[in-house]
Amino acid sequence: MTCDPQGEGGAHDEPGARDPQAYAGDGARPGAHGPERTAAAFHAVYGYAPGGVWAAPGRVNLIGEHTDYNDGFVLPLALPHTALLAASRRADGVLRVHSGDVPGGVVELRADALTPAADGGWAGYPAGVVWALREAGLAVGGADLHFDSTVPTGAGLSSSAALEVATATALNDLYALGLEPQRIARIGQRAENAFVGVPCGIMDQTASACCTEGHALHLDTRDLRQRQVPFALAAEGLRLLVVDTRVKHELGDGAYAKRRAGCEQGARTLGVRALRDVPYEGLGAALDRIEDGTVRGLVRHIVTENRRVEEVIGLLDAGETPAIGPVLTAGHISLRDDFTVSCAELDLVVESANAAGALGARMTGGGFGGSAIVLVEEADAEAVTKAVTHAFGAAGYAAPRVSPAVPSAGARRLA
Ligand code: ADP
Ligand code: MG
């Protein structure tokens, strides 16, 4: 997933969302985004130096969309955009959280009195992690936390997973819990599912916790096996652009839940545990057994999408990176026509980018807004960016935000 609960509505230019490229020049908070600035901000908020600074990235999914709740495959990569967290352990059980990215001051809680029902707003993400760690029987007490993130919120780039994974990684070190990155990811997912109340899959947190530089992460969401797949963009003269459409369309009655229920219905009709178990070779016969046209489309997307993940991995392993372009575009068409989760802005990114010479493009994330990715030859990056921006202007849309997606490292301690 695709942790993109529907129903946020409108543009997502809330505090915390910002142009990652313009971020270093952010006049409101001097100094480049980095551990020194985050540590200094912690000092200003809490009056003492932090015990350390940690980083956890946002992510984009290269291919494998809506497959994660069908036990399927995903292939995300970590972004250079990161949530930085300056943190210290506290002996008195008090949990204080503060973000430089949202208005409002320090939120003060007690680590031993956290309840999922208490809607603490954004603080629910870090508080949920403390809750999930304690629920898992781990000895975690109080802490002071200060966040400073360049992951735009609500753009489908997983700013929420970045917060969760940064929190779990910091507490893992501060409380010497000895958790592996995969376990940290599961703690983050549990926080988001059970404490914040967002029914996301495991992809976002796994990407943030486990990705490595220069790679995409092949994750089998059934058994959580993973493999780092080399994704050599720069070496091959290529760029992957993230185009944030800056819209998030309201879809009132839970489009995500409907798709999910439709997938489950398809699996039931076909007598399989999950749609992942429908072989690509048997797709035609499987579709013949489904009467409901909508469910047929959902099934066709999931089965062909899992196949596309395998195709992309095969091409990357063979060093044929440019050839993944058409597979990305095929994935978009499937999301648009079969899974019906695209929107006019996302379609326009794909169409205008491809018309301007991109190798391929697709929406990424849950859909109905958020971001698209575009694979281009480095030499064409500027022209394609201009073409997409121009197309948005001509359509009367606000200018999209375009930034390069360099496959980056997962969560780590910085200081
Ligand atoms: P996405 O994960 O796709 O960016 P979500 O809706 O899942 O979108 O998560 C966004 C929410 O996460 C924000 O509304 C906010 O509550 C929280 N959040 C993300 N980044 C920050 C931040 N830097 N400071 C405070 N809250 C944040
Ligand atoms: Mg999220």
Side-chain angles (χ1 to χ4, degrees):
M1 200 239 123
T2 46
C3 288
D4 286 311
Q6 310 310 330
E8 288 188 353
H12 48 69
D13 242 350
E14 71 223 53
R18 65 169 79 81
D19 182 344
Q21 289 178 313
Y23 186 73
D26 182 351
R29 289 188 295 145
H33 185 247
E36 294 80 18
R37 190 177 81 178
T38 306
F42 179 101
H43 197 293
V45 172
Y46 295 116
Y48 68 98
V53 181
W54 289 261
R59 64 94 190 96
V60 282
N61 191 18
L62 188 57
I63 190 88
E65 215 65 75
H66 287 277
T67 47
D68 67 343
Y69 51 88
N70 290 287
D71 278 4
F73 306 132
V74 293
L75 192 63
L77 52 120
L79 292 170
H81 313 62
T82 51
L84 297 190
L85 166 59
S88 285
R89 180 176 163 153
R90 288 180 67 100
D92 60 1
V94 170
L95 174 64
R96 296 194 292 182
V97 296
H98 182 264
S99 170
D101 304 312
V102 296
V106 174
V107 178
E108 188 165 326
L109 303 158
R110 280 208 59 86
D112 60 2
L114 299 169
T115 49
D119 177 18
W122 78 269
Y125 294 94
V129 168
V130 173
W131 173 84
L133 288 166
R134 291 174 62 91
E135 276 267 306
L138 296 160
V140 174
D144 284 338
L145 311 176
H146 168 76
F147 294 93
D148 179 6
S149 178
T150 52
V151 188
T153 58
L157 304 179
S158 274
S159 66
S160 60
L163 285 197
E164 292 150 7
V165 170
T167 306
T169 305
L171 293 172
N172 186 39
D173 288 349
L174 290 170
Y175 280 92
L177 302 176
L179 304 177
E180 298 294 322
Q182 278 167 289
R183 181 90 194 279
I184 284 175
R186 286 205 299 279
I187 292 286
Q189 184 201 17
R190 173 127 175 85
E192 187 144 347
N193 289 168
F195 197 92
V196 182
V198 176
C200 62
I202 188 64
M203 171 171 76
D204 300 348
Q205 292 83 2
T206 306
S208 187
C210 303
C211 279
T212 59
E213 215 177 313
H215 294 86
L217 182 75
H218 179 206
L219 176 69
D220 180 332
T221 63
R222 170 165 279 171
D223 60 15
L224 300 186
R225 270 194 300 183
Q226 47 172 269
R227 181 167 80 87
Q228 304 288 344
V229 181
F231 188 32
L233 280 169
E236 299 198 38
L238 300 172
R239 263 203 214 158
L240 189 70
L241 306 175
V242 180
V243 181
D244 175 4
T245 63
R246 301 172 71 187
V247 295
K248 186 82 204 163
H249 293 293
E250 173 96 51
L251 277 168
D253 44 11
Y256 172 70
K258 270 192 194 160
R259 303 296 184 287
R260 209 171 162 142
C263 288
E264 282 161 16
Q265 190 189 323
R268 266 196 312 276
T269 305
L270 297 171
V272 291
R273 184 171 141 202
L275 290 182
R276 183 265 179 73
D277 298 309
V278 180
Y280 179 75
E281 293 70 24
L283 178 59
L287 293 176
D288 286 345
R289 293 171 55 198
I290 299 172
E291 273 172 33
D292 184 316
T294 304
V295 175
R296 236 185 351 255
L298 299 179
V299 171
R300 186 162 46 225
H301 169 72
I302 297 301
V303 175
T304 58
E305 186 77 349
N306 278 324
R307 173 71 160 209
R308 280 186 287 272
V309 176
E310 291 180 315
E311 241 180 295
V312 165
I313 289 169
L315 290 167
L316 293 180
D317 280 338
E320 293 173 34
T321 310
I324 73 171
V327 188
L328 302 184
T329 301
H332 181 79
I333 291 166
S334 178
L335 286 161
R336 184 190 69 192
D337 298 345
D338 278 340
F339 218 73
T340 59
V341 289
S342 189
C343 63
E345 292 86 350
L346 288 167
D347 292 344
L348 188 58
V349 176
V350 172
E351 282 154 25
S352 59
N354 282 340
L359 297 165
R362 63 179 284 270
M363 55 158 278
T364 182
F368 307 111
S371 299
I373 52 172
V374 179
L375 185 70
V376 285
E377 303 273 4
E378 222 161 68
D380 297 332
E382 205 182 316
V384 169
T385 302
K386 275 193 184 144
V388 173
T389 306
H390 182 262
F392 266 54
Y397 303 150
R401 273 188 285 235
V402 184
S403 56
V406 181
S408 301
R412 62 215 179 271
R413 186 173 191 154
L414 295 182

